């Protein structure tokens, strides 16, 4: 999908600008960053990765292209920063009082982000296949989001909705197992991506709750029990 004549063809071979600040300063620098990242989101959602250029982003943001090149260097750098910015958002997992309710609410958020047109979430996923920098940043973001959502499973265990560990076997012995919270979360959310991104199916308003319910039933039956890691 990458055009060799496009400025995007360097996204896989370059690294973020040397000496780029780790902290996020305020004032004019913060305003410029916000303008540029808003432009990246809009350009990516409308034109996809193949239509994303530094020049287009600069024009849309109302800044000179040298400003963009100096701070982000290329499209890969822009994609990394827009993904990092998503991780900086003050997002909290749902808290409805039940695991099924929490997972349903989470799935509804996911479905909404995938069906809105244009979908920035879908465009960003597609772009990550064309930029190693973006792919690494998106992997970090997804790992952080799943870790943040593990609280849903922890609360369910505390409420007694799920066994904490060690389900009894056929002879009544309690096995040394733990609950795989990450696996449960992936199982609950994966049907949304499968149906809407891979199969490009029409949105089903019942899918978020059905997928959540299936994951909860599987968890209650021990589907996400894993051998307990031995600690020294």
């Amino acid at each position: 999908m990458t055009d060799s004549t496009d400025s995007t063809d360097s996204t896989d071979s370059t690294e973020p600008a040397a000496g780029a600040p780790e902290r996020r300063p305020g004032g004019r620098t913060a305003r410029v960053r916000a303008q540029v990242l808003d432009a990246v989101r809009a350009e990516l959602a409308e034109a996809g990765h193949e239509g994303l250029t530094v020049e287009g982003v600069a024009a849309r943001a109302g800044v000179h292209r040298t400003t963009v090149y100096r701070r982000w260097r290329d499209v890969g750098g822009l994609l990394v920063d827009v993904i990092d910015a998503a991780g900086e958002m003050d997002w909290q997992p749902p808290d409805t009082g039940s695991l099924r309710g929490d997972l349903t609410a989470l799935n509804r958020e996911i479905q909404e982000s995938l069906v809105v047109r244009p979908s920035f979430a879908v465009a960003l996923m597609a772009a990550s296949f064309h930029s190693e920098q973006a792919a690494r940043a998106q992997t970090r973001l997804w790992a952080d989001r799943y870790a943040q959502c593990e609280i849903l499973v922890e609360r369910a265990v505390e409420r007694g909705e799920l066994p904490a560990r060690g389900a009894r076997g056929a002879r009544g012995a309690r096995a040394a197992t733990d609950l795989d919270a990450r696996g449960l979360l992936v199982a609950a959310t994966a049907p949304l991506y499968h149906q809407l991104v891979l199969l490009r199916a029409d949105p089903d308003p019942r899918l978020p709750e059905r997928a959540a319910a299936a994951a909860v039933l599987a968890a209650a039956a021990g589907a996400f029990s894993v051998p307990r890691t031995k600690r020294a």
Side-chain angles (χ1 to χ4, degrees):
M1 293 173 64
T2 303
D3 188 339
S4 61
T5 64
D6 198 319
S7 63
T8 62
D9 60 0
S10 63
T11 57
D12 289 338
S13 59
T14 60
E15 293 297 326
E22 291 297 325
R23 63 186 181 89
R24 303 301 186 190
R28 180 179 180 278
T29 301
R31 289 195 299 272
V32 169
R33 181 184 183 231
Q35 290 171 223
V36 169
L37 296 189
D38 282 345
V40 173
R41 296 181 188 100
E43 291 282 305
L44 187 61
E46 291 179 6
H49 176 267
E50 61 272 21
L52 186 65
T53 65
V54 169
E55 291 76 12
V57 168
R60 189 162 197 149
V63 301
H64 198 279
R65 64 181 181 179
T66 57
T67 299
V68 181
Y69 278 117
R70 184 169 57 248
R71 176 161 182 171
W72 290 276
R73 289 187 60 176
D74 56 19
V75 167
L78 288 168
L79 289 171
V80 169
D81 202 17
V82 83
I83 294 169
D84 287 346
E88 296 165 11
M89 294 173 57
D90 185 21
W91 179 85
Q92 296 296 323
D95 186 1
T96 66
S98 72
L99 180 59
R100 179 169 175 168
D102 290 346
L103 293 176
T104 298
L106 180 63
N107 279 348
R108 285 176 177 151
E109 287 186 32
I110 293 171
Q111 179 160 277
E112 183 177 352
S113 74
L114 298 177
V115 303
V116 65
R117 293 292 181 265
S119 171
F120 170 69
V122 173
L124 194 58
M125 280 187 276
S128 71
F129 285 95
H130 300 278
S131 167
E132 290 182 6
Q133 291 174 255
R136 290 193 294 268
Q138 183 152 272
T139 297
R140 289 195 302 270
L141 176 62
W142 280 68
D144 288 346
R145 281 287 187 260
Y146 275 119
Q148 196 174 0
C149 286
E150 288 183 11
I151 187 66
L152 307 185
V153 180
E154 294 171 11
R155 290 195 300 243
V157 171
E158 291 172 0
R159 289 190 296 258
E161 296 178 75
L162 296 176
R165 56 180 58 182
R168 294 193 181 279
R171 296 183 179 180
R174 191 169 289 277
T177 61
D178 283 324
L179 183 60
D180 179 9
R182 180 71 55 90
L184 194 165
L185 292 165
V186 170
T189 57
L192 280 296
Y193 295 99
H194 185 85
Q195 290 291 325
L196 299 172
V197 179
L198 298 182
L199 296 182
R200 298 179 182 271
D202 291 334
D204 181 353
R206 300 167 299 175
L207 180 58
E209 185 172 7
R210 286 212 316 262
V216 172
L217 287 172
F224 302 105
S225 295
V226 294
R228 188 179 307 164
T229 302
K230 292 183 178 180
R231 295 178 175 83

